[in-house]
Amino acid sequence: AQSVTQLGSHVSVSEGALVLLRCNYSSSVPPYLFWYVQYPNQGLQLLLKYTSAATLVKGINGFEAEFKKSETSFHLTKPSAHMSDAAEYFCAVTASKIIFGSGTRLSIRP
Amino acid sequence: DSGVTQTPKHLITATGQRVTLRCSPRSGDLSVYWYQQSLDQGLQFLIQYYNGEERAKGNILERFSAQQFPDLHSELNLSSLELGDSALYFCASSAQTGDRVLEQFFGPGTRLTVL
């Protein structure tokens, strides 16, 4: 069985501050993990993915995520937030099917 | 541009009516997924087709049905529409090797408004 938990439905940070969006997963098989971003009135766009290679994964727009098996986590980070990062972020885990988390809305304060 | 196309972009209809949403997957992708996204329920997986056959079912109502055609495009049929069916409907496609789902590519969505 698989599941994904995103801690915090809404995160607000100042422009230039660190962004940290949390994702914990459970999976009965070695997981593939993904982060997607959704801008207003658009579809989801793949940000980055982990497929059992390097545990530190770099994605688009300066985001990265680290796979930590011992903590069953795949948190998303960005060193310095930009106004254009405001969006909804979804973590997902896949084995035979894909399970999405409930999403975290990221707001950026000027 | 993800390579996944959806039509129409917007749809406004009345309760009790039936509508059909259309999706064309990325070239080469055999799997198509349908999702419903609403403010109160978030992103809900409805159904998956793989190379013309139903592969997985999620929270799809009996009033809803889907199919995937030989050219791999897919249609989602929504009937006896209710106000609560108003939502964004997304289609996504992916390559899939064996039992492992790979990353999905999402279309721009169809916004359905039921009045």
Side-chain angles (χ1 to χ4, degrees), chain A residues 26-108:
Chain A
S26 70
S27 178
S28 54
V29 299
Y32 285 0
L33 293 157
F34 305 86
W35 276 99
Y36 288 84
V37 59
Q38 184 181 26
Y39 298 103
N41 298 313
Q42 294 186 27
L44 278 70
Q45 177 185 357
L46 182 67
L47 206 52
L48 49 79
K49 63 182 178 182
Y50 166 78
T51 56
S52 73
T55 56
L56 183 62
V57 180
K58 294 187 185 302
I60 61 172
N61 302 336
F63 283 93
E64 63 181 37
E66 186 171 8
F67 172 69
K68 292 187 177 181
K69 185 178 178 181
S70 61
E71 298 177 9
T72 60
S73 69
F74 190 58
H75 301 332
L76 182 71
T77 60
K78 181 174 180 177
S80 177
H82 192 273
M83 295 300 290
S84 61
D85 296 326
E88 183 115 21
Y89 292 79
F90 294 89
C91 181
V93 61
T94 79
S96 58
K97 58 182 180 179
I98 186 165
I99 304 294
F100 282 90
S102 54
T104 297
R105 182 168 300 278
L106 176 64
S107 300
I108 312 297

Side-chain angles (χ1 to χ4, degrees), chain A residues 30 36 38 49 94-96 98, chain B residues 35 37 99-101 103-104:
Chain A
Y36 288 84
Q38 184 181 26
K49 63 182 178 182
T94 79
S96 58
I98 186 165
Chain B
Y35 293 88
Q37 187 177 40
D99 287 335
R100 179 66 87 169
V101 174
E103 65 264 34
Q104 297 186 345

Side-chain angles (χ1 to χ4, degrees), chain B residues 25-87:
Chain B
R26 282 191 330 155
S27 176
D29 284 352
L30 299 180
S31 276
V32 170
Y33 309 77
W34 286 98
Y35 293 88
Q36 179 193 59
Q37 187 177 40
S38 60
L39 282 175
D40 55 343
Q41 296 205 18
L43 188 67
Q44 299 281 320
F45 166 66
L46 296 178
I47 197 164
Q48 178 201 355
Y49 277 81
Y50 176 78
N51 202 21
E53 294 192 3
E54 184 182 303
R55 185 77 175 243
K57 247 181 178 176
N59 301 324
I60 189 166
L61 300 172
E62 285 192 12
R63 300 183 285 109
F64 296 180
S65 64
Q67 56 184 23
Q68 186 179 28
F69 295 87
D71 67 352
L72 300 178
H73 91 272
S74 177
E75 292 180 356
L76 179 67
N77 299 296
L78 315 176
S79 62
S80 303
L81 285 167
E82 302 175 359
L83 295 177
D85 298 327
S86 295

